[in-house]
Amino acid sequence: MTDREPLLDPALDPAAMRKQYQAGGLAEQDLASHPMDQFARWFEDAARAALHGTLYEPNAMVVSTADATGRPSSRTVLMKQFDTEGFVFYTNYDSRKGRDLAANPHIGLLFPWHPLSRQVIVTGTARRTGRDETAAYFRLRPHGSQLGAWASAQSSVIASRAALDTAFADLAARYPEGEQVPVPPQWGGFRVTPETVEFWQGRANRLHDRLRYTAQPDGTWKVERLSP
């Protein structure tokens, strides 16, 4: 926005918004040797914070992709699994992110755990999970979510909300509660194999701790401290 009067209320002015982080620091000697082990530690903290109502959806992450021409896009997605191999999320393969990753497998993930003054920032590559793994997770989804995967042609233009609701209602009539819903062929998982994993801990005076793991050719990880 340009050519406007400055906001008089500091509570509404982005330039006046400032949070002083008082959390403890993050030291190299306290890190796990593998970034996914360190992620597990922090994810447990985030999950416990969610149980106490201080953090919402700890498995929510911002997923950033770019198409074949380099145009980026971002959206929030729920991470559904993590292990030593990386992170898994599910989506419609015909969605924008699905099409992006088909053309350009490079991906960025961001876990924004603001109440803990923490972020985890991941770069890596994404590949589709196998259909057996996809089907196993699909069976765990609530019945309505299973129907929603069929009803929504994700990222495509639709005529109205009513058209979406009608499609869902038709599916609900075809597959009532308790009846198995087949896995949509255009729906499945992506496994993100990390190349770098940065652990960001907010500190006072904007002198944050930033420790980044980088994958090495021999399978080990190098840790470097980044300037805030």
Side-chain angles (χ1 to χ4, degrees), residues 39 57 66 71 78-79 113 134 139-140 151 154 169 171 226:
F39 180 83
E57 290 192 315
R71 289 185 174 88
L78 296 179
M79 181 268 296
W113 295 326
T134 290
R139 299 281 172 249
L140 298 176
Q154 195 175 77
L171 286 160
L226 305 180

Side-chain angles (χ1 to χ4, degrees), residues 4 6 66 83 88 101 109-110 123 132 141 173 176 192 213 220 225:
R4 66 172 177 83
D83 53 30
V88 176
L101 291 171
L109 310 178
L110 168 64
T123 65
D132 288 346
R141 302 185 92 205
V192 177
Y213 293 78
T220 61
R225 177 173 289 271

Side-chain angles (χ1 to χ4, degrees), residues 135-200:
Y137 171 70
F138 189 79
R139 299 281 172 249
L140 298 176
R141 302 185 92 205
H143 182 70
S145 296
Q146 293 180 4
L147 297 178
W150 279 102
S152 172
Q154 195 175 77
S155 300
S156 65
V157 176
I158 58 176
S160 65
R161 174 72 199 201
L164 181 64
D165 290 340
T166 297
F168 184 89
D170 290 345
L171 286 160
R174 183 177 179 183
Y175 299 106
E177 188 79 42
E179 186 167 332
Q180 187 175 82
V181 180
V183 182
Q186 77 281 8
W187 188 93
F190 281 104
R191 180 177 295 277
V192 177
T193 301
E195 296 168 357
T196 68
V197 185
E198 177 186 332
F199 293 86
W200 185 102

Side-chain angles (χ1 to χ4, degrees), residues 58-115:
N59 61 326
M61 59 184 183
V62 178
V63 173
S64 297
T65 58
D67 63 18
T69 65
R71 289 185 174 88
S73 61
S74 299
R75 74 290 289 164
T76 301
V77 174
L78 296 179
M79 181 268 296
K80 287 300 179 179
Q81 180 187 345
F82 69 91
D83 53 30
T84 56
E85 301 301 316
F87 307 87
V88 176
F89 67 92
Y90 293 86
T91 188
N92 188 313
Y93 288 139
D94 294 332
S95 65
R96 179 172 180 175
K97 58 184 169 298
R99 297 194 306 270
D100 282 357
L101 291 171
N104 178 1
H106 298 290
I107 191 170
L109 310 178
L110 168 64
F111 293 86
W113 295 326
H114 302 307

